[in-house]
Amino acid sequence: MTILVAYVPRPEGRAALDKGVEIATRRNERLVVVNAGPGGRQEDPSVLNGYEAERVEESLKTLSIPAEFKQFVRGNSAVDEIEEMVEQLQVSLLVIGLRRRSPVGKLLLGSMAQDILLSVPCPVLAVKA
């Protein structure tokens, strides 16, 4: 079984990674950390740059469990990439980070967390920074 962490380079992403590492280590399960964005001409703040990706990969190498980092920037939304990973891997738990947003912000921008919660078939743990 696999613990999947949806990672973004913000405090909520780091909280999700920390919780995913804790749970995967306790359960002795494989850990997969995914960072995804649509790519394109605009810089996406949710996509890790090379240095940040290397830092995450290096921290995963120190764990006592199998762990890997995957990054996708191939035109799909992060939600689509996460759904595909859940289907491909035997995911026992998906860990995501939540950020605080106003009701108007949620209405205007939608909620990636909500989309994930409604679309994946596995349990989802949402953590705050």
Side-chain angles (χ1 to χ4, degrees), residues 29-124:
E29 290 188 34
R30 176 178 173 221
L31 177 70
V32 176
V33 179
V34 64
N35 174 252
R41 295 174 190 239
Q42 295 178 346
E43 191 168 313
D44 186 345
S46 65
V47 175
L48 274 72
N49 63 34
Y51 170 75
E52 292 171 312
E54 286 177 18
R55 193 173 57 84
V56 171
E57 287 178 318
E58 289 301 317
S59 70
L60 295 178
K61 287 180 184 177
T62 66
L63 300 177
S64 61
I65 54 169
E68 64 182 297
F69 173 75
K70 294 181 178 282
Q71 186 173 44
F72 301 107
V73 185
R74 53 187 183 191
N76 298 330
S77 74
V79 173
D80 290 340
E81 295 290 1
I82 291 166
E83 287 175 356
E84 187 174 320
M85 293 292 295
V86 167
E87 288 177 18
Q88 288 177 356
L89 307 169
Q90 288 186 305
V91 175
S92 61
L93 179 68
L94 170 62
V95 183
I96 61 173
L98 293 180
R99 63 182 166 157
R100 185 176 178 91
R101 293 176 53 187
S102 71
V104 173
K106 291 177 196 171
L107 177 65
L108 295 176
L109 301 174
S111 171
M112 189 179 309
Q114 181 178 351
D115 291 345
I116 290 170
L117 286 168
L118 296 174
S119 64
V120 297
C122 66
V124 178

